[in-house]
Amino acid sequence: MTLPVPTAQKPLFQRIHLRRWFAQGLLISLPIGLTIYVVLWIGGWLNNLFETPIRALFGVDIPGLGLLLTLMTILGVGFLASHVLTAWIFEKLNAVLERIPVLHSLYSTIQETVDLLFGGTDRGFRSAVLVRQGGDMGYIIGLVTRDTLSELPRLPEDCIAVFIPMSYGVGGFTCLVPRDKVIPLPDLTPQQALRFAMAGGVGGGKAIRDKLGATTESTRQTATSHPEPDQ
């Protein structure tokens, strides 16, 4: 008769899953905490814009009043800029800023960046595409920013401007890609593509990865069924 072999009992901290609970709590708490921190930091910065005038008028600090005045100022500027009778004020201001040598470059860069991020379809990211890299490097995801490049007439091919965002950072680089070399992603919005690329393809992007996988697979099948002729 074989006697049962006693099994070693696991330590207490392993039985109550402390490591797993800590990792799960970190994954949930860190994004929430950082989001709240960024929102409070931006709110505090906006509130401080009117801190001196509020203290001069009322003699005390009123929490939140500066943020409210900042939002009302932004709404007021948008209201005035959307009417013909007052829009000329901002047109004159833009003309003055564009004539100042050093300030012109800074103002133009900030203005184009804001238009790109918050502008409409005529100024923002137009669509998401895949750009094939050289050799067997696969594909990179990009965002079309310009459909025509009339200011660059000497390009050897019909090209479009594609912005390639960087993962886990702010920034990227702009490529001039031949129009027939990009793969459109009609089921993916520019915001989804930007979030996918900046997050390195991780996180809650399973549906996006499925779309990209289906697109690249269909492209691969098309290339296989229609091989390029030998040069």
Side-chain angles (χ1 to χ4, degrees), residues 219-231:
T219 303
R220 191 180 299 110
Q221 292 178 358
T222 303
T224 303
S225 58
H226 299 84
E228 297 181 357
D230 296 336
Q231 300 293 332

Side-chain angles (χ1 to χ4, degrees), residues 126-199:
R126 284 164 169 75
S127 60
V129 295
L130 287 178
V131 180
R132 184 178 180 87
Q133 300 186 87
D136 297 329
M137 296 295 293
Y139 302 85
I140 53 176
I141 193 167
L143 303 166
V144 177
T145 58
R146 295 284 301 275
D147 291 320
T148 58
L149 300 172
S150 56
E151 65 272 24
L152 299 174
R154 296 183 180 275
L155 289 174
E157 298 180 80
D158 181 21
C159 295
I160 59 177
V162 179
F163 174 72
I164 309 297
M166 296 173 58
S167 298
Y168 302 106
V170 178
F173 52 94
T174 303
C175 298
L176 304 183
V177 185
R179 191 182 302 272
D180 57 351
K181 300 298 183 182
V182 300
I183 304 170
L185 298 173
D187 297 331
L188 205 63
T189 64
Q191 292 76 18
Q192 289 175 326
L194 181 62
R195 187 163 57 247
F196 175 86
M198 294 187 67

Side-chain angles (χ1 to χ4, degrees), residues 10 49 64 66-67 81 89 92 122 127 136 148 154 211-212 223:
K10 294 182 178 180
L49 291 178
L67 177 61
I89 300 175
K92 293 292 184 181
D122 57 332
S127 60
D136 297 329
T148 58
R154 296 183 180 275
K211 293 179 182 179
L212 293 175

Side-chain angles (χ1 to χ4, degrees), residues 8 29 75 95 102 126 214:
S29 303
L75 290 175
V102 179
R126 284 164 169 75

